[in-house]
Amino acid sequence: MATGRNHRPATRSRGIPEATVARLPLYLRALTSLSERSVPTVSSEELAAAAGVNSAKLRKDFSYLGSYGTRGVGYDVEYLVYQISRELGLTQDWPVVIVGMGNLGAALANYGGFASRGFRIAALIDADASLAGKLIAGLPVRHAEELEEIVDDNQVSIGVITTPAGAAQEVCDRLVGAGVTSILNFAPTVLTVPDGVDVRKVDLSIELQILAFHEQRKAGEEFDDTVTAPPKRQPTSTGPDGDLPAVMPA
Amino acid sequence: MATGRNHRPATRSRGIPEATVARLPLYLRALTSLSERSVPTVSSEELAAAAGVNSAKLRKDFSYLGSYGTRGVGYDVEYLVYQISRELGLTQDWPVVIVGMGNLGAALANYGGFASRGFRIAALIDADASLAGKLIAGLPVRHAEELEEIVDDNQVSIGVITTPAGAAQEVCDRLVGAGVTSILNFAPTVLTVPDGVDVRKVDLSIELQILAFHEQRKAGEEFDDTVTAPPKRQPTSTGPDGDLPAVMPA
DNA sequence: TAGATTGTTAATCGATTAACAATC
DNA sequence: TAGATTGTTAATCGATTAACAATC
């Protein structure tokens, strides 16, 4: 059975676990805050508390990056800020386009957290021609017609989609066609992309639904086992036919 | 060693895995779309494709809810919509408050995806008195002073925080103090809450940073092992002192 | 009956965590 | 040296997935 270590054809260059990558920004934020307060060093215990994670997990996470700590002392804040920034690719400039200038697109354009982390808004784009030229967060809205040109001229590799669901796939296709290889999707749709393109999804409604699930559990605790009773109940006839299917799908 | 099944003191009523709960909204969305097109039944294969997951995973997920399918046939769309909605707690009304009426708060207030899923905006709240009374998405902004009263009067158990980072913890404390037990946090801070309160976090900047990490990997593939070289390098002196720590933290 | 598809098993994979030897 | 804290091991836990018996 072997130890199951490096039996893969080394497809991914190093192999930092995805769960670790997702926590690096949290550590970076906590470290940045310490840095601003001129704290020189921090222990895994302190930093873990600030980031809201377990200290063993933090040390394991850092061990994937290298040995950046000093036993008996802790981690040098500035040094770690730099190393994590470098690992995340934040020491370089990332031009980003935001497509869809509704409320959410505008909110993102005005969000300060981007610029400070290497992300630069190359352009704001909308399909509505009457919006063209309007200033949002100091930038003129450009028409969707120019999308390919903008992506090409600015070497944009990251696109943010804040369009309605119906337009998202087409926008995505055009972004990818123009050379974008990472998509942050706020539209409530599953996007189909070719291999080599990353999509991350932020779905406001889904987050609330997950909260509702847990909230319901809390409320149900008073009654306890009522909900645990065996199911197989009928729906409240939301549709024309509440019965179990009798026909096969095409 | 046992099978590791029900050795817990039955703290959580049934035990649907967290990963499954997080996917139920995806299934629900795909099913709702099928329902709108009057598709009567769907196979795990088809539904999985629509939701963007593996069909084995989908069947496993559904098995936690009960046996709602028919072998050789598939799942009844309407019936499954109902069952998942019920499981997620969406068959009841959830009054929600949104605190912080900046761009993001306004975007959320205008977001249509809430009302259709049992979430009702009970109030929009902001600390800026000059905003009080202003209509956003047809609702008047209320002053933060009224927060406790609003939560109490409307039996609000879910709060959405869209304030700046600096105000988030205080708002969170007040929401929790007033009776809120689920928080959706958009502010870039770690919130501290008592046991029994759920916090979910949406962080726009973190999502972009994760994308940047993968984007960097793609770009680096051309050079390949350059980045794999052993680290232990010095930072570009972002701070006053780039050296490794010599003193202990307090 | 023959074909289709679920529900479940079992293997595998990946993530978390406590514990502690190494070492500053 | 004594105390502190990292980096790593190993155990455990949870999630994913292929495969297939059950059954419509």
Side-chain angles (χ1 to χ4, degrees), chain A residues 24 27-32 34-35 39-44 47-48 58-59 61-63 65-70 74-88 90-91, chain B residues 233-236 238 241-245:
Chain A
L24 292 182
Y27 301 143
L28 184 57
R29 170 169 296 150
L31 285 163
T32 302
L34 291 171
S35 171
V39 176
T41 59
V42 67
S43 70
S44 62
L47 184 55
L58 177 143
R59 289 197 300 277
D61 284 343
F62 286 179
S63 77
L65 309 184
S67 296
Y68 294 151
T70 307
Y75 299 92
D76 180 83
V77 171
E78 297 299 333
Y79 186 52
L80 205 45
V81 163
Y82 171 76
Q83 289 298 347
I84 294 179
S85 296
R86 195 180 51 91
E87 194 65 52
L88 282 171
L90 306 182
T91 51
Chain B
R233 291 266 301 84
Q234 292 304 88
T236 56
T238 317
D241 183 32
D243 278 313
L244 283 176

Side-chain angles (χ1 to χ4, degrees), chain A residues 18 29 41 67-68 79 87 117 181-182 198 200 203 207 209 214-216 218 231-233 235 245, chain B residues 18 29 41 67-68 79 87 117 181-182 198 200 203 207 209 214-216 218 231-233 245:
Chain A
E18 199 52 42
R29 170 169 296 150
T41 59
S67 296
Y68 294 151
Y79 186 52
E87 194 65 52
R117 287 181 187 82
T181 47
S182 288
D198 274 318
R200 290 193 69 87
D203 194 313
E207 298 300 325
Q209 291 176 59
H214 292 293
E215 195 58 42
Q216 176 177 240
K218 291 178 203 163
K232 207 79 189 181
R233 291 266 301 86
Chain B
E18 201 51 42
R29 170 168 296 149
T41 59
S67 296
Y68 294 150
Y79 186 51
E87 194 65 52
R117 287 182 187 81
T181 47
S182 288
D198 275 318
R200 290 191 70 86
D203 195 313
E207 298 299 326
Q209 290 176 59
H214 292 294
E215 195 59 42
Q216 177 177 238
K218 290 177 205 164
K232 207 79 188 183
R233 291 266 301 84

Side-chain angles (χ1 to χ4, degrees), chain A residues 9-221:
Chain A
T11 305
R12 40 164 83 188
S13 308
R14 190 126 35 114
I16 299 180
E18 199 52 42
T20 295
V21 173
R23 279 187 295 266
L24 292 182
L26 289 179
Y27 301 143
L28 184 57
R29 170 169 296 150
L31 285 163
T32 302
S33 165
L34 291 171
S35 171
E36 280 162 6
R37 287 186 280 134
S38 302
V39 176
T41 59
V42 67
S43 70
S44 62
E45 200 68 55
E46 295 167 313
L47 184 55
V53 304
N54 173 305
S55 72
K57 180 149 62 184
L58 177 143
R59 289 197 300 277
K60 188 92 167 99
D61 284 343
F62 286 179
S63 77
Y64 293 114
L65 309 184
S67 296
Y68 294 151
T70 307
R71 286 165 143 106
V73 177
Y75 299 92
D76 180 83
V77 171
E78 297 299 333
Y79 186 52
L80 205 45
V81 163
Y82 171 76
Q83 289 298 347
I84 294 179
S85 296
R86 195 180 51 91
E87 194 65 52
L88 282 171
L90 306 182
T91 51
Q92 59 188 281
D93 185 65
W94 294 105
V96 168
V97 292
I98 303 176
V99 187
M101 281 299 113
N103 282 293
L104 185 57
L108 289 176
N110 279 294
Y111 179 56
F114 294 161
S116 62
R117 287 181 187 82
F119 300 102
R120 180 172 55 79
I121 300 178
L124 306 175
I125 303 178
D126 198 283
D128 181 355
S130 72
L131 272 181
K134 186 188 171 192
L135 290 184
I136 296 183
L139 292 168
V141 176
R142 317 253 318 247
H143 191 256
E145 230 168 37
E146 306 177 74
L147 187 148
E148 283 79 5
E149 192 191 332
I150 293 167
V151 168
D152 197 52
D153 286 356
N154 294 276
Q155 304 253 60
V156 173
S157 55
I158 300 179
V160 178
I161 299 180
T162 49
T163 65
Q169 183 64 58
E170 197 211 315
V171 166
C172 174
D173 292 343
R174 288 182 60 191
L175 286 171
V176 170
V180 165
T181 47
S182 288
I183 303 264
L184 183 53
N185 179 32
F186 287 85
T189 320
V190 176
L191 292 179
T192 304
V193 293
D195 274 5
V197 176
D198 274 318
V199 177
R200 290 193 69 87
K201 187 171 170 40
V202 177
D203 194 313
L204 315 172
S205 153
I206 282 180
E207 298 300 325
L208 270 187
Q209 291 176 59
I210 295 171
L211 281 178
F213 172 85
H214 292 293
E215 195 58 42
Q216 176 177 240
R217 281 292 160 93
K218 291 178 203 163
E221 226 121 86

